Amino acid sequence: MPKVLFYAGTAFCLFLALTGAAETARELRSSSIAFGALEAAGGISSRAPWAILVALVAGLATAAIFLRMAALLAARNLFGAFLALFSVAGAVVSLAAVLLLQARIVFLTRSGINIEVLSEIHFVGVLVLAYFVSLTLLALRPYFKVQASRVLSALVFLPLPLFVLMLIQELFDGGSPAPLPPSTPASLVFFAVISLLFFSIAVHCIRHRHLFLEMTNLRELMTGRVDPTGRGTTPRPIGGIAFDS
């Protein structure tokens, strides 16, 4: 993994952690949610173009970190690696779609055109993005279980149930106005957990940067280990592959 991409991804993980903490504080203070160029109650940020650009770059850089984790997981848990790859791809596509919708909403709002339909699509896009982010963290649990701590591997279980709780509240409470989801206790805990997870991931990346910066030779990973103390001229293989479970 290139050093520039690794350090950029780590820095943006820390940035997302701080953003999540700020969003949690906003919900506690004003019971409203903001995302990207959209502020509370669907208002437009004065720095909307920069907000959209920074959100897109942050998402791509963070996705690179998750893809590297999936590559390291592939030798031990191929299903988890493919699930993480699918989830990261879905999160990136969802983020790009939501940001493009925000750019269109900003343009139409400044032109005085009705954006009711786009607001509803944006609402759904934000929920899809939250789902894929939660699924990505859950899919990478085998990686965190081996390379990180038990606390981090346990925390990745929380975002998806919290998202399901938010969705249930949306279904049974009569719905909420677009373009952003409502502020609820579940969303408050969701943002707090996401903030803590991204901060822990940034710390993990710095502590284990050799895993991300070193080249991964998949052929060597799949080569069986050899017992150097074996008798005779033929080495005795141990296990099937280098990272068998």
Side-chain angles (χ1 to χ4, degrees), residues 145-212:
K145 185 177 180 180
V146 174
Q147 299 294 347
S149 63
R150 293 181 179 179
V151 176
L152 187 56
S153 62
L155 282 176
V156 295
F157 272 117
L158 298 180
L160 192 57
L162 288 171
F163 169 78
V164 173
L165 182 59
M166 292 167 56
L167 193 60
I168 291 175
Q169 290 177 345
E170 180 65 24
L171 289 174
F172 290 97
D173 287 349
S176 58
L180 293 171
S183 176
T184 62
S187 66
L188 180 65
V189 180
F190 179 83
F191 282 113
V193 171
I194 289 294
S195 175
L196 180 59
L197 281 172
F198 275 105
F199 178 78
S200 302
I201 290 172
V203 174
H204 167 77
C205 291
I206 294 298
R207 292 184 59 188
H208 300 84
R209 54 186 176 273
H210 62 280
L211 294 175
F212 296 87

Side-chain angles (χ1 to χ4, degrees), residues 1-13 57 60-62 64-65 206 209 212-213:
M1 186 176 187
K3 287 186 177 181
V4 175
L5 189 57
F6 165 72
Y7 286 112
T10 304
F12 278 114
C13 281
V57 174
L60 293 176
T62 306
I65 295 291
I206 294 298
R209 54 186 176 273
F212 296 87
L213 295 177

